[in-house]
Amino acid sequence: MQPHGIMRPGHVQLRVLDLDEAVHHYRDIVGLEETARDKRGRVYFKAWDEFDHHSVVLREAEEAGMDHVAFKVEDDACLDRIERSVKEFGLQVDHVAASEQLHTGRRVGFVCPTGHRIEFFAEKAQVGNGLPTQNPDVWPDGLRGMAPVRLDHVLLYGDEIERNLELFTKVLGFRLTEQLLAKDGKTHLATFLSISNKPHDIAFIHCPQKARLHHVSFYLDSWHEIGRAADIISKKNVSLDMGPTRHGLTRGATIYFFDPSGNRNEVFSGLYLSYPDRPMITWTEDEIGKAIFYYERRLNDRFMSVTT
Amino acid sequence: MQPHGIMRPGHVQLRVLDLDEAVHHYRDIVGLEETARDKRGRVYFKAWDEFDHHSVVLREAEEAGMDHVAFKVEDDACLDRIERSVKEFGLQVDHVAASEQLHTGRRVGFVCPTGHRIEFFAEKAQVGNGLPTQNPDVWPDGLRGMAPVRLDHVLLYGDEIERNLELFTKVLGFRLTEQLLAKDGKTHLATFLSISNKPHDIAFIHCPQKARLHHVSFYLDSWHEIGRAADIISKKNVSLDMGPTRHGLTRGATIYFFDPSGNRNEVFSGLYLSYPDRPMITWTEDEIGKAIFYYERRLNDRFMSVTT
Amino acid sequence: MQPHGIMRPGHVQLRVLDLDEAVHHYRDIVGLEETARDKRGRVYFKAWDEFDHHSVVLREAEEAGMDHVAFKVEDDACLDRIERSVKEFGLQVDHVAASEQLHTGRRVGFVCPTGHRIEFFAEKAQVGNGLPTQNPDVWPDGLRGMAPVRLDHVLLYGDEIERNLELFTKVLGFRLTEQLLAKDGKTHLATFLSISNKPHDIAFIHCPQKARLHHVSFYLDSWHEIGRAADIISKKNVSLDMGPTRHGLTRGATIYFFDPSGNRNEVFSGLYLSYPDRPMITWTEDEIGKAIFYYERRLNDRFMSVTT
Amino acid sequence: MQPHGIMRPGHVQLRVLDLDEAVHHYRDIVGLEETARDKRGRVYFKAWDEFDHHSVVLREAEEAGMDHVAFKVEDDACLDRIERSVKEFGLQVDHVAASEQLHTGRRVGFVCPTGHRIEFFAEKAQVGNGLPTQNPDVWPDGLRGMAPVRLDHVLLYGDEIERNLELFTKVLGFRLTEQLLAKDGKTHLATFLSISNKPHDIAFIHCPQKARLHHVSFYLDSWHEIGRAADIISKKNVSLDMGPTRHGLTRGATIYFFDPSGNRNEVFSGLYLSYPDRPMITWTEDEIGKAIFYYERRLNDRFMSVTT
C-alpha cells in the first residue's frame, strides 16, 4: 500500500445546543483560542501550539454530537489517492468545496462503517502558535484555562467495528496499536489506531448504534497539568465525568468532563512512542476495567453509555 | 492555657488480621522501614524521613482498627501538665510504662469522648532518617514503594464530637483549622485540628459509633508522587478506595486505599501553613461533597461508612 | 524561656531604585497582589495565600536593600516580652507607632548584631486570600506571574554572626535547624533559623559588612512551578542569578533572580517539617558547594558576593 | 523521493575507557537494562520501554567517543533503497554482516560529511519491555536509577555541516525542524533533524573537527523526573555538565552529565509534535544562548568545546 500522507486529526466539527455557552466552555475553560466566526454562525478554535487556523469548529444545532472529524494530509495528491482507495473498498466518497470551512481547502469525505463522517484535507491557512518562528520563547503570553497544546484524538462509538478496522488499517494505513477483545478472543470491543508516533489518533468502541461521539481529547504536557485542569473543572462548576485517573490503554493520564451540551471532553497527557514495530497490545474483556481506568479497575455506567 | 509542648502524632498502633500480609503491605507497598519486632509479636515501622524509632506499630488481632494514637511532646514535664489538664476536664488518665513499646518512654493516656485512646509520650529513641546529620544527601538510597516521608495524621470517627472538640482545643491546645457544620449551622460533622503549622494533625468525623478509625495518612511530597502511588496501588492489586483526587478541606491531594485487614490508608500531599491567626474555614453540609472530594463533589457510601 | 509567640516573617520593607519598574516586577512577574500605596509613596503587596494586608513593602530610595524584616507575633503582650528580653540581651529597642505602615499595629524594633533591623508586630488588618472562608475553592481566579503562596524567609549577610545566633536562639527562641561551619569546626559561616515547623524563617551568612540583604524568598508549591517560574524569568528578560537547582541546606528546590534594583529574589519549594527534636544538620566548609547548590556542588562568585 | 522507512535511532555504539565503570554508570545510574555481553567484550543495554534487544553498546577502547549510530528501518528493502540513494549522493557504502552485533541483522553504513559513521538495519530481536503485551501494567517492577524510557537522539559535532544537511534532508528524508544560523544568515551552526514526530532524532553542530560526539540523549517522562535525575547525579557523584535547565531549541527540559569516560549524556523531557507542515524554527547566532540554554541565556565553554 502506498502511503496516503495522512498526518493528524486536523479538526473536529461539533454540534452544540447553545453556542454562547459552548464558546465560553471551549475558550475560557478548556482555553482554546477563538480564531474566527463564519456567516453560518460557526465558531472556530485552535489550541495554542497548533499552527493551522482551527482544530475545533462549533455549530449550533438541536442535537449535540460530532459532524465530522477531518485529517490533514501532506498534499493535494494524497486526497486523490485516498478517494481511489476508499472507493475501491466500496464506500461512497464525496467532496466538500474549498472554503466551506474558513481558510480550509477542499475536503474529501465519506461515512465509515461505524457511521461517522471522516474527511481529509490538504490545505488550511496557518495562523501560528503565538510565537515567532525566529528565536521563539517556549510558550506565549495570555494562555487561559487548561490551555492544551493540541487537539489529540477522538474516540467514537459505533456498530460495524470490524469492517471499520479493515478500512482504517488496510485502506488508510493506520496501525492498530491497542485492541480490546471480547471473551471470544477475536471480536473487537475497542480499536486504537495511529497514523503517527502517537499511541492513537482515533479510536473506536463497539456499540449497537451508529455515529456516536464518546469524546474529543486535547493534550496537556504533564500529570501536574491534569491536576490543574481538575481544579479548574471544580472551580468553574464544569460537569466532571471521570478522573483524574490513568488509562491502562495508552498509559495516558486523563480527566473527562462534559461541555454544556453534553459532548464529552478529555484532557490527557503522557504517551509512549508508537512505531510500526512496536508490539500491539491486547486487552481482554475480563480486564476491561483496568484497560479503561487503570486505577479504579472498573467502569462506570456513564462512561460506557453516555455519548452524543 | 500554658502550652503542653505537643509536637506531632508520634505513632499509631494498628490492629491487623494477618501480620505477614500487613507487613508486606506497609513495608513493600506503602514503603515504610521495618525497625523492630517485639516479644509480643508487634512489628514496628517508620517513614523514611522520620528520626524516631517508629511511627506505626502493627499488632495482630481478631478485629482491625486502631489501638491508640500517641502524640510526642517536648519533654517529660509536658506529660504531667497534660495529665492534670485532662483530669480537670473530667477524664480518667492512666499510664503505660516505659518500654511497653520498644525504645519508647512512659506514656500518659486516656479515652477521649469519641471513644479513641489518645496517648502522649516524651521519649523515643532516634534511629535517624538514613542520612548523616553532617553534609547529608537529599534522600537515602533504598527507598521502596510509595516511600512517604512521614506519618501525617489520623482521621477518626466517633460520637461525642462536640465534647471532644472542647477537649482538643480548650484543654490540649489544638486549633480548629477547618470544620464541617450540619444544616443547623452549629453542630459539628467534622473537626480538623492542628497542633503545628500543618492544616491538621488529627481530625474527627461524627458518627453514631465510638472509637472508629477512618484512615491513617502518610505524607508524599507532590501530586506527581500521588500519581505514582496510584500506579503502585493498581500494579500491586491493592484495594483502592478513592482517588487520586483533591480535598476541599485542607486542599490536600490524596489517594485512599485499604491495607489487607481493611484499615484505610491515605497518602496525601500539599498543604497550606496553619498559623494561629489564619481564619478558620467552615464547610456547610450542603457542600460536603466539595469539602471531602473537591473534584467529584459528591461522596461515595464506602468512604462515609467503612471504618475499622 | 517563656515563648514569645513569634509566628512568621510578616513583612519585609525593601528599597528600590525605580518604583514603577519594581512594581511591575513584583506584581506582574513575581505575581504578588498590590494592596495599597501610602502617602509616603510606598507600595504594599501580599502573596495570594496570605491573609494579612501586606508582606512586602517597596520604598523608592537611592540605594537598594532591605529596611527591615518584621515578624508577626500572636498578641500585643508578646511585644513587651520581646522588648524586655532583647534589652536584657543588651540591645537598644525602639518603637514604631501603629499605622506607620498602613493597617499595621505598633512595631517593636532593634538592630541585631549583623546590622539588620528586626521588628515585631501583633496587629495587621486581614484582607483575605481571595477566597471565602466558607466552602472555598482551592485557589482564586486571576493569579498572575509566578504566583507564590507566601513570603517565606529572608537570608541576610552580616558580620557578628555568633552573637546574632545567640540572640535568635537564646533570646528570641528560634531553633538552629542547619548550620555551616568553617574549617575550624566551630565558627559559623551560615545559620538557618526556624520559629515554626518550616526549615527556616530567617537565615544569616557571615560576611565582613553589616546589614546586607542576600535574598527575599517566596514559596511555590512544587518543582513543576519552579520550572514555570524559570520559563517566566526567561520570557520576561528578568536577570537570572542561579537555578533552577536544589539546596542541600533545607533540601529546597529553588531559582534565584534579581528585581530591577538588584535585590535578589528566590522562589522555592519543598520542605521537611522542622520539630524541636529533629537533629540539627551541620555542613562543613569543604562541602559548602553541595550545601548551597546540591546539583552544581560549587558556588559561583556572584551568589556569594552580590548583596544589597 | 520515495520514503526510506527510517523509524528511529536504533542504537549507538560507544567507546569507553573502563568497561566496569561504564557498566556501573549506564546500568545503575542511568538505569538501563543490561541485555547481553558478546565475545568481543561488548556490553549491550536497552532502556526499559524499548522492545528491541539493545539501544546502547559499550566497547572498551583507548579513546572515548561514538563508533556509530544506527537507525532502524521498517524492512530489509529499505536498506537497499538507502544504499542506492547514498551512493548516488557520492558516498561509499559498506556492509556489516548480520550478528556482528548480537541479535541484529545486517547493517548498511557510511561515513557522513561530518565524519560520523551512520548505519541502518532492519532486524533486531525483540526482548520486550518487561511487561506482557496482554493487559500490561503501566511500568514494570525493578526500575533503577533515572530509568529513561528510551534512547532518544544523539547530537554530533563535525565540520561539513551543509553537505551533511543535504544528505540527511534530500537523500535520507529527514526534516530540518530547527536550525541555528550564523550571523551571515545562511551558514548553519546547528541543524536539528527529525525522521518521526519527535522534534529531533539526530542533530549536528558545526565544529572544525570531524566525527565528534557531543551527547547521547535518553528520554524521561517529566520535569519532575529531570529533578530526580539531578538528585541522583549529585547523590552518586556523577560529573554534572549543565542543568537542570531547558532548551529554547526543541523546548526540552534537560540535564547533562558525563559518563566515567567523559562521554556526555543527557536526560531530557518534553516535546512538541513535529509534523511535515510545522514551520521550521530558526535561531540566530546572537541568540545562541537562549537557543541552547533557555534559562541561563548564555553558553558555557565546556558545553561548546568538550566532546568525545
Side-chain angles (χ1 to χ4, degrees), chain B residues 139 141 222 224 231 235-236, chain D residues 139 141 224 231 235-236:
Chain B
W139 39 270
D141 284 343
S222 66
H224 183 98
D231 289 351
K235 275 169 66 70
K236 298 300 179 187
Chain D
W139 40 270
D141 286 341
H224 183 97
D231 288 353
K235 275 169 66 69
K236 299 301 180 187

Side-chain angles (χ1 to χ4, degrees), chain A residues 7 13 28 72 91 95 105 128 131-132 142 148 160 203 265 268:
Chain A
M7 292 192 292
Q13 183 167 308
D28 301 330
K72 192 175 188 190
L91 298 181
H95 299 87
L131 298 167
E160 293 187 43
N265 294 166
F268 97 118

Side-chain angles (χ1 to χ4, degrees), chain D residues 135-190:
Chain D
N135 305 326
D137 282 305
V138 291
W139 40 270
D141 286 341
L143 300 180
R144 287 180 321 282
M146 302 174 185
V149 289
R150 66 170 180 269
L151 169 67
D152 192 83
H153 65 270
V154 290
L155 190 148
L156 308 174
Y157 274 39
D159 55 355
E160 293 187 45
I161 195 170
E162 303 296 351
R163 184 147 170 77
N164 204 65
L165 176 60
E166 203 184 334
L167 167 67
F168 273 84
T169 53
K170 298 199 180 149
V171 178
L172 295 171
F174 285 69
R175 293 188 312 281
L176 183 62
T177 56
E178 307 205 22
Q179 62 181 358
L180 175 64
L181 293 183
K183 294 208 173 73
D184 65 11
K186 59 185 185 184
T187 308
H188 284 91
L189 299 178

Side-chain angles (χ1 to χ4, degrees), chain C residues 10-12 14 25-26 29-33 45-48 50 54-58 146-154 198 215-221 226 229 253-257 259 263-270:
Chain C
H11 69 252
V12 288
L14 298 176
H25 174 84
Y26 287 98
I29 292 170
V30 178
L32 305 179
E33 312 286 324
F45 294 93
K46 65 181 284 295
W48 78 261
E50 294 171 325
H54 59 271
S55 59
V56 172
V57 180
L58 301 184
M146 302 173 187
V149 288
R150 66 170 180 268
L151 169 67
D152 193 83
H153 65 271
V154 290
K198 293 160 53 188
H215 70 262
V216 176
S217 183
F218 302 96
Y219 196 79
L220 292 178
D221 277 331
I226 298 289
T254 179
I255 188 165
Y256 288 100
F257 52 100
D259 79 7
N263 294 307
R264 191 185 277 99
N265 295 168
E266 179 187 40
V267 283
F268 98 120
S269 183

Side-chain angles (χ1 to χ4, degrees), chain B residues 135-173:
Chain B
N135 305 325
D137 281 305
V138 291
W139 39 270
D141 284 343
L143 300 180
R144 286 180 321 282
M146 302 173 186
V149 289
R150 65 171 181 268
L151 169 67
D152 193 82
H153 65 270
V154 290
L155 190 147
L156 307 174
Y157 275 39
D159 55 355
E160 293 187 45
I161 194 170
E162 303 296 351
R163 184 146 169 79
N164 204 66
L165 177 60
E166 204 184 335
L167 168 67
F168 273 84
T169 54
K170 297 200 181 147
V171 177
L172 296 171

